[in-house]
Amino acid sequence: MAERFDYSGKEDFLTRSGEEVFALLETSLSGLDEAEAQRRAGLFGPNELKEGKKRTLLIMFIDQFKNIMILVLMAAAIISGFLGELMDSFIILAVLLLNAILGVIQENKAEKALAALKKLAAPHAKVIRDGQVSLIKTSRLVPGDLVLLEAGDNVPADMRLVEVHNLKIEEAALTGESVPVEKATEKIENPDT
């Protein structure tokens, strides 16, 4: 099993049946064995959101002016000023400044949302390894792990459901949906869904 597995990470599991997903990921209802899970962890690294370099508000503000259209508008404001159209120049600069401030606020909110999502991530997951239920850190999940979810559990990673019994997931943090969404195991026929 260990020599053949070459999952690229680009497959669309939603359009495949549970059996096809098991075959593609070379796993089964008895899960991976610990040695294969360790090998895959070495291939794919930890199951964690990658954190980018933290940027200061000043850097975010300066980055707002690194767009070609913004530079064109700045040039237009300067030319308007030289031509004596001070009001036009002032209005363009005011709009550019407002745009930069709103851009920084938006980026800052997005970074805070990502940090909040990271906090929502489940610290542990129940998986089947070596045919037995094990509790592992979510950072140790690998492609092919069979994860068990129960009422109240946080979903520890992107997953393809293979068996459910009246499963509804609260997705408000991700989608804003106020009502839990019912989940099913059927494959999705339209890959653009």
Side-chain angles (χ1 to χ4, degrees):
M1 176 152 112
E3 287 75 53
R4 296 180 331 152
F5 183 76
D6 65 351
Y7 169 68
S8 71
K10 296 180 180 155
E11 286 77 9
D12 188 0
F13 294 124
L14 296 175
T15 61
R16 298 175 187 262
S17 70
E19 294 81 22
E20 290 173 310
V21 172
F22 278 137
L24 180 67
L25 294 177
E26 297 179 16
T27 190
S28 69
L29 285 174
S30 34
L32 298 173
D33 62 46
E34 192 60 41
E36 178 62 10
Q38 291 294 332
R39 192 183 80 72
R40 292 181 187 193
L43 278 174
F44 299 105
N47 174 44
E48 297 173 337
L49 290 173
K50 292 190 178 25
E51 262 191 63
K53 191 175 140 189
K54 185 78 173 152
R55 298 181 328 157
T56 65
L57 290 177
L58 179 63
I59 297 296
M60 282 187 215
F61 184 77
I62 291 169
D63 285 348
Q64 299 300 312
F65 296 97
K66 291 183 178 177
N67 178 312
I68 189 72
M69 287 307 296
I70 300 299
L71 295 174
V72 168
L73 286 171
M74 287 176 73
I78 292 169
I79 291 169
S80 291
F82 280 127
L83 294 176
E85 300 292 333
L86 295 178
M87 186 56 105
D88 290 346
S89 181
F90 174 74
I91 290 172
I92 293 171
L93 291 174
V95 168
L96 289 176
L97 185 62
L98 181 63
N99 180 64
I101 291 169
L102 291 175
V104 169
I105 291 170
Q106 208 53 8
E107 273 190 59
N108 199 30
K109 281 183 181 180
E111 284 185 6
K112 286 181 181 177
L114 187 60
L117 273 177
K118 216 170 182 184
K119 286 180 185 174
L120 281 177
H124 293 92
K126 287 181 279 266
V127 299
I128 298 181
R129 292 249 176 109
D130 293 319
Q132 300 196 6
V133 176
S134 300
L135 188 65
I136 65 170
K137 289 185 175 183
T138 55
S139 61
R140 292 188 52 225
L141 284 173
V142 296
D145 263 330
L146 193 64
V147 179
L148 303 175
L149 293 175
E150 294 178 358
D153 287 350
N154 285 338
V155 178
D158 286 343
M159 293 186 276
R160 170 65 165 90
L161 299 172
V162 292
E163 184 177 321
V164 299
H165 301 284
N166 196 26
L167 177 65
K168 292 183 180 183
I169 302 287
E170 176 66 53
E171 297 179 348
L174 296 172
T175 64
E177 293 268 342
S178 61
V179 183
V181 178
E182 188 159 354
K183 299 297 177 178
T185 60
E186 289 81 27
K187 65 181 182 177
I188 308 280
E189 296 299 328
N190 182 0
D192 295 329
T193 299

